[in-house]
Amino acid sequence: MIFNQAMECMSRDEARHLQSERLRKLVAYLHEHSPVYRAKLDKAGLQPAAIRGVEDLERLPFTTKDDLRDNYPFGLFCVPRSEVREVHVSSGTTGNPTVVGYTQADLDLWGEVVARCLYCAGARPGDMVQVAYGYGLFTGGLGLHYGTLKAGLTALPTSSGQTKRQLKLMTDFRPRILACTPSYALFMLDDARAMGLDPRESSWEVGLFGAEPWSESMRGEIEATWNMRATDIYGLSEIIGPGVAQECEHKNGLHVFHDVFLPEVLDPNTGKAVPEGQWGELVFTTLTKQGMPLIRYRTRDITKITYETCACGRTCPRVSKFHGRTDDMLIIRGINVFPSQIEHVLLQIEGVQPHYQIVVDRKANWLDDLEVQVEVDEKFFSDEIKVMQALEARIRHEMETVLGIAAKVKLVEPRSIQRSEGKAKRVIDKRTL
Amino acid sequence: MKIIQISVFLENRKGRLYEVCRLLGEHQISIRALNIAEATDFGVLRMVVDKPEAAQKVLRDNHFVASRTDVVAVEISDKPGGLADVLHVLSKEDLNVEYMYAFVEKRSDKALVVFRFDDTEKALRLLAAHHINVIRQAELAGL
Ligand SMILES: [Zn+2]
């Protein structure tokens, strides 16, 4: 089912027309209500009238995470604080946290786009949605919650954690939809088995998994073990939270709701658009937000985009499953390494489950050391030491072929890599640069 | 008759072998034979115990990777050249030994040696043909 046929299936010309009209209004609105954007536009020598439509988009200045931090806490709000109905905060590793504010209209928009996501993933009227993202300052829980309400479905707001209770309520209430991080979906398997549940018999038929990058192989694992369809949901609090883009049942890219979030894919170094279908940094302009609209926000997520109509009938462009972030990228001995590449190598080695950790260290000789720790599983354990050493050597070889640098591979005991119920900690960088 | 060996993945970290032995001891499981093969960062512990199913369960429950391997416990005369006699037969018959190790205890004038063959069934047939005695699983409890 398509929640908003008019917006999700309009022609490219119609979309361009709507986007242009909304972009003109947005620039005028920001010029009037945002001192930060007025200064940005003045600096670029742009009067609002100079922006006629999406063809002028690339003349507009970028917005970065630093703009949000520099204007902490409320400097980017375009309405008085009293008009803001809700704020969310995400913690950064450095400096001020990122604060976002929603007016009532923004909350309605959020519910609308997440409702689109739920039906896009495969929800049906009457479904119950188990929301196992954290509720609170993090946008995951409440975003899925508002979407469930807007979609006219039933919310089961379990939040994250308390896995045994999650599983008991799943067993008793039979929700068809699960929303959580993909690593938490895998994390719950151990507890399910310990409780004597057969994961394949779970009531979940459709999952909306997001808030962290995950691979096709991780999808295969979730789908096989839980016997459900695993779809990718994308969002970031700066744009709205979850609900910016969502995979449909065809799982061939995430549909971007382009009537409200205008996407661009750019070369991260030059800031120029890359041709359709090429990898680059995803950049968004929020076309209709009131509280804290953003122009050309640099997401730092690496993806590619296609404008071809999908088999599901939606015309919203699709972005590829994410291949890492420009700022998660590790530079090791001068080579760009994405943790997703390492995960991909491991999952191609038969039987190796995605429990791994990357440790980067700098030795006394100033050479960076890349160590990949892989938890041993009974599926590929052997009593013969030479078989284990051969496996280690094969992973090392594959890693070097794909990454272009040598990596040390260390086989470790199960459970020796720390699991978290939220985001998986895949990289430990011990270098003091 | 083949017997069951429990094979355990161990990181080369302090206290891991102790942890295995402690768990088995706590569950009244006796180790009859034991061997460790080491690589740089990890090792594989191989053991013959009196209650292999229970041993595998307690180790798995404590998040160890513990698998079962078929091995053969061969009786060897406890005299000079006893082991050589058996190895001679194996070599003559072209049987591949992946590894071998001795039992902790011996019974009477015989020593017990655990063999891991690449082809266990073939090994058992040939040992029988040469009248070399092997120990049955059921006999282990009484050792
Ligand atoms: Zn589609």
Side-chain angles (χ1 to χ4, degrees):
Chain A
M1 192 186 125
I2 296 174
F3 184 70
N4 192 332
Q5 187 89 25
M7 290 298 124
E8 295 177 70
C9 301
M10 64 184 147
S11 72
R12 204 172 164 183
D13 279 349
E14 286 174 305
R16 216 177 146 80
H17 185 79
L18 181 65
Q19 289 164 342
S20 291
E21 185 190 310
R22 289 179 166 175
L23 183 64
R24 284 194 300 272
K25 279 189 191 159
L26 171 72
V27 174
Y29 176 82
L30 284 170
H31 191 266
E32 189 180 341
H33 296 285
S34 167
V36 174
Y37 273 109
R38 199 178 311 129
K40 269 183 181 279
L41 291 168
D42 287 348
K43 200 174 159 209
L46 284 173
Q47 282 300 309
I51 303 302
R52 293 156 298 171
V54 287
E55 66 272 22
D56 292 319
L57 184 60
E58 60 180 27
R59 299 174 62 192
L60 288 165
F62 291 118
T63 308
T64 65
K65 190 128 190 155
D66 286 340
D67 289 317
L68 273 73
R69 292 203 185 104
D70 294 348
N71 293 288
Y72 176 86
F74 303 148
L76 278 165
F77 287 9
C78 291
V79 296
R81 212 273 301 132
S82 59
E83 291 298 308
V84 170
R85 288 289 154 272
E86 188 165 315
V87 289
H88 281 272
V89 181
S90 57
S91 52
T93 42
T94 52
N96 285 326
T98 304
V99 179
V100 292
Y102 303 72
T103 63
Q104 186 56 52
D106 294 337
L107 291 174
D108 294 343
L109 169 67
W110 198 9
E112 157 79 24
V113 289
V114 176
R116 291 186 199 177
C117 291
L118 284 161
Y119 285 108
C120 188
R124 297 194 292 249
D127 277 345
M128 180 184 279
V129 183
Q130 185 159 354
V131 182
Y133 285 110
Y135 279 64
L137 291 172
F138 170 55
T139 51
L142 284 165
L144 265 295
H145 189 91
Y146 297 147
T148 302
L149 301 186
K150 176 73 182 178
L153 308 177
T154 308
L156 176 57
T158 48
S159 193
S160 60
Q162 299 202 54
T163 307
K164 288 200 165 64
R165 194 181 63 175
Q166 300 266 5
L167 292 164
K168 176 175 166 48
L169 296 181
M170 180 271 285
T171 310
D172 295 348
F173 298 178
R174 314 292 299 161
R176 220 183 126 250
I177 314 286
L178 169 67
C180 65
T181 62
S183 55
Y184 189 53
L186 288 173
F187 179 92
M188 284 194 286
L189 282 169
D190 278 354
D191 278 331
R193 293 188 181 117
M195 288 165 74
L197 299 177
D198 178 358
R200 292 193 58 80
E201 297 295 315
S202 84
S203 67
W204 298 321
E205 290 176 29
V206 175
L208 290 85
F209 301 116
E212 63 187 18
W214 52 303
S215 64
E216 282 302 331
S217 321
M218 217 164 148
R219 186 206 306 274
E221 175 109 18
I222 293 172
E223 294 196 327
T225 50
W226 284 112
N227 189 24
M228 71 190 298
R229 178 199 302 156
T231 70
D232 198 351
I233 183 169
Y234 172 77
L236 59 170
S237 64
E238 298 91 317
I239 301 305
I240 200 146
V244 176
Q246 168 69 46
E247 275 180 335
C248 67
E249 76 235 61
H250 299 284
K251 295 184 278 197
N252 53 4
L254 293 83
H255 287 285
V256 175
F257 301 119
H258 61 162
D259 54 314
V260 287
F261 307 125
L262 179 59
E264 297 172 84
V265 178
L266 309 177
D267 180 319
N269 298 314
T270 65
K272 299 286 175 216
V274 298
E276 185 176 334
Q278 286 193 15
W279 295 98
E281 181 182 350
L282 186 59
V283 172
F284 277 112
T285 299
T286 63
L287 291 172
T288 59
K289 278 173 73 182
Q290 288 184 340
M292 205 185 101
L294 298 178
I295 285 179
R296 306 192 83 197
Y297 183 70
R298 306 279 301 245
T299 66
R300 302 194 162 275
D301 286 316
I302 301 291
T303 188
K304 57 185 181 182
I305 195 164
T306 175
Y307 288 89
E308 278 172 34
T309 302
C310 180
C312 70
R314 288 177 181 83
T315 53
C316 336
R318 281 166 286 145
V319 289
S320 281
K321 229 166 144 18
F322 292 87
H323 248 232
R325 290 172 59 78
T326 55
D327 51 0
D328 274 354
M329 189 173 76
L330 291 160
I331 302 179
I332 300 167
R333 284 173 246 154
I335 302 220
N336 298 347
V337 172
F338 291 109
S340 56
Q341 290 177 296
I342 291 173
E343 177 164 321
H344 196 67
V345 167
L346 287 178
L347 291 158
Q348 281 183 330
I349 307 271
E350 199 186 355
V352 179
Q353 285 195 323
H355 290 310
Y356 69 93
Q357 194 163 53
I358 300 158
V359 183
V360 191
D361 205 351
R362 182 159 288 180
K363 287 288 168 66
N365 61 7
W366 298 100
L367 276 181
D368 297 343
D369 239 14
L370 173 63
E371 180 175 276
V372 181
Q373 299 179 348
V374 183
E375 282 188 6
V376 171
D377 186 275
E378 256 174 60
K379 278 186 237 155
F380 61 87
F381 171 62
S382 166
D383 62 307
E384 291 180 58
I385 207 103
K386 67 182 180 201
V387 174
M388 299 305 287
Q389 284 172 317
L391 174 78
E392 218 178 41
R394 204 166 57 149
I395 298 174
R396 193 163 47 234
H397 175 78
E398 286 290 311
M399 212 67 89
E400 194 166 343
T401 309
V402 171
L403 304 179
I405 53 167
K408 187 173 185 292
V409 173
K410 186 177 180 189
L411 299 179
V412 298
E413 287 173 20
R415 294 263 175 169
S416 49
I417 291 169
Q418 206 187 336
R419 306 280 204 288
S420 80
E421 298 198 8
K423 298 195 180 195
K425 178 116 182 122
R426 295 299 191 198
V427 180
I428 293 182
D429 197 338
K430 294 180 176 168
R431 294 175 294 186
T432 41
L433 300 177
Chain B
M1 290 300 107
K2 57 195 178 201
I3 59 171
I4 296 167
Q5 166 190 287
I6 300 298
S7 312
V8 186
F9 178 85
L10 287 183
E11 266 176 63
N12 283 357
R13 263 194 294 140
K14 216 173 133 194
R16 300 309 292 157
L17 177 61
Y18 165 72
E19 181 64 11
V20 171
C21 296
R22 188 188 66 78
L23 284 168
L24 297 182
E26 224 168 55
H27 289 81
Q28 312 297 323
I29 297 164
S30 299
I31 300 170
R32 298 301 183 202
L34 172 145
N35 160 269
I36 299 176
E38 277 184 289
T40 321
D41 290 320
F42 65 90
V44 177
L45 167 67
R46 298 122 173 195
M47 317 176 275
V48 175
V49 298
D50 56 349
K51 290 171 249 171
E53 283 84 7
Q56 190 181 22
K57 182 173 186 310
V58 65
L59 291 170
R60 278 179 172 173
D61 287 350
N62 286 277
H63 307 302
F64 280 98
V65 171
S67 67
R68 295 191 209 184
T69 315
D70 288 339
V71 292
V72 180
V74 178
E75 247 184 14
I76 292 179
S77 310
D78 196 13
K79 61 171 185 32
L83 179 59
D85 292 345
V86 173
L87 290 176
H88 179 66
V89 168
L90 299 177
S91 141
K92 205 171 59 185
E93 297 286 358
D94 211 20
L95 263 178
N96 241 330
V97 178
E98 296 294 348
Y99 54 82
M100 49 182 275
Y101 54 98
F103 259 61
V104 181
E105 299 148 82
K106 58 180 188 178
R107 69 176 193 181
S108 65
D109 58 341
K110 305 275 188 179
L112 286 176
V113 174
V114 176
F115 283 89
R116 163 77 154 88
F117 297 103
D118 63 350
D119 185 344
T120 309
E121 299 302 330
K122 183 181 167 199
L124 285 169
R125 281 196 307 276
L126 290 167
L127 290 168
H130 286 86
H131 309 292
I132 297 170
N133 203 17
V134 301
I135 298 297
R136 286 194 306 275
Q137 186 76 45
E139 291 177 82
L140 285 172
L143 282 179

